[in-house]
Amino acid sequence: MQTQPGGSQFGAARARLSATTFYTLLCFSLAGLLTGFAFGGFASHLLRGSSANLDAPGSSAPTLTRRSPASAQTQAPENIFIGQPAIASTDYTSAAIADGTTSYQFAAQIVNKADQTPLTATDVVCRLWLTNDLQATTAGLSANNYALPKNPSLFKQPFPSEVQDALAFTGPNIQTQTCATSGKTRWTYTLATALQSGTYYLAVLADWKGIHYNWYMVAVTIRNQNKPDAQSSKSP
């Protein structure tokens, strides 16, 4: 019987090739299997982690809050217009004695200029003084475009034609004070013995921050037994 040359060797080579192919496919299969396990475990870890974060106590999805813009509040600027202080005949003594001991009272109601209603603002300043020249006092307050009323820091100095040291104030009230926010603004005083007899004027000024102001004067007759009559006062 004849045989093909090299037949046994070809069969051996074929067997080796089959074994190699088998092992190669086996390695690829194992590699694929391991990769699948690794990826599945990683994906499972990610899913578990996400679920844990969503379910953790106190955690919640962010909430968007819409805030409406604050409404613009239009507030008119404060502006206090002052009328002439209202002084009734019972608010002062029209005939007084300059003896240094007799006590007198003076009261003035500070009012709104528009409707003459009592003013309740807390930042209005009132000043009371005595003058024997009404015209000079009015001119002095109006001088230089009302420079004096526009500067309340000057109220401690003597006013135009003021008779200095004529009024000695007693009690809690002083010459320049904050106007009363309820009722009338009041002063208590005595008249200096140095005053001569004659006609004078009690003048009161109400001033709001040097912006708006007004004043009023009332005539009083002052007698001093030890002093002759003063020179006739000027009237408007």
Side-chain angles (χ1 to χ4, degrees):
M1 181 177 67
Q2 293 182 350
T3 59
Q4 294 182 357
S8 61
Q9 290 145 355
F10 175 77
R14 184 175 181 180
R16 286 194 298 272
L17 178 61
S18 298
T20 301
T21 301
F22 173 76
Y23 284 118
T24 300
L25 292 174
L26 180 61
C27 288
F28 276 112
S29 298
L30 290 174
L33 183 61
L34 291 175
T35 302
F37 283 141
F39 179 78
F42 179 71
S44 176
H45 172 72
L46 289 179
L47 290 175
R48 287 196 302 270
S50 299
S51 298
N53 288 336
L54 290 176
D55 298 336
S59 64
S60 60
T63 302
L64 297 178
T65 303
R66 178 177 295 179
R67 295 183 179 180
S68 58
S71 58
Q73 296 182 354
T74 304
Q75 184 175 0
E78 182 186 24
N79 211 1
I80 306 299
F81 291 93
I82 301 175
Q84 289 184 342
I87 305 169
S89 59
T90 56
D91 289 333
Y92 67 102
T93 302
S94 59
I97 300 174
D99 57 8
T101 58
T102 303
S103 181
Y104 299 98
Q105 289 189 343
F106 183 93
Q109 178 66 66
I110 310 306
V111 297
N112 288 291
K113 186 175 183 179
D115 54 12
Q116 302 300 302
T117 57
L119 198 63
T120 59
T122 59
D123 46 8
V124 181
V125 174
C126 287
R127 189 185 194 278
L128 178 69
W129 73 101
L130 187 73
T131 177
N132 59 0
D133 193 332
L134 186 149
Q135 291 180 341
T137 298
T138 301
L141 292 172
S142 306
N144 300 318
N145 193 25
Y146 302 91
L148 179 56
K150 288 181 178 179
N151 194 348
S153 64
L154 301 177
F155 288 2
K156 293 183 179 180
Q157 71 182 28
F159 271 24
S161 300
E162 178 179 354
V163 182
Q164 298 186 43
D165 302 321
L167 307 177
F169 295 93
T170 61
N173 307 126
I174 56 177
Q175 184 170 25
T176 301
Q177 60 179 310
T178 301
C179 302
T181 58
S182 177
K184 298 178 179 180
T185 304
R186 301 181 182 277
W187 290 264
T188 301
Y189 62 90
T190 59
L191 293 169
T193 57
L195 285 172
Q196 294 181 321
S197 298
T199 300
Y200 294 82
Y201 297 90
L202 284 169
V204 60
L205 167 74
D207 188 292
W208 179 70
K209 298 181 179 181
I211 300 175
H212 297 298
Y213 36 81
N214 221 320
W215 61 84
Y216 195 74
M217 304 181 208
V218 293
V220 293
T221 301
I222 297 177
R223 298 296 177 188
N224 190 330
Q225 296 178 352
N226 300 319
K227 299 286 184 178
D229 289 350
Q231 183 179 1
S232 299
S233 300
K234 296 180 180 179
S235 57

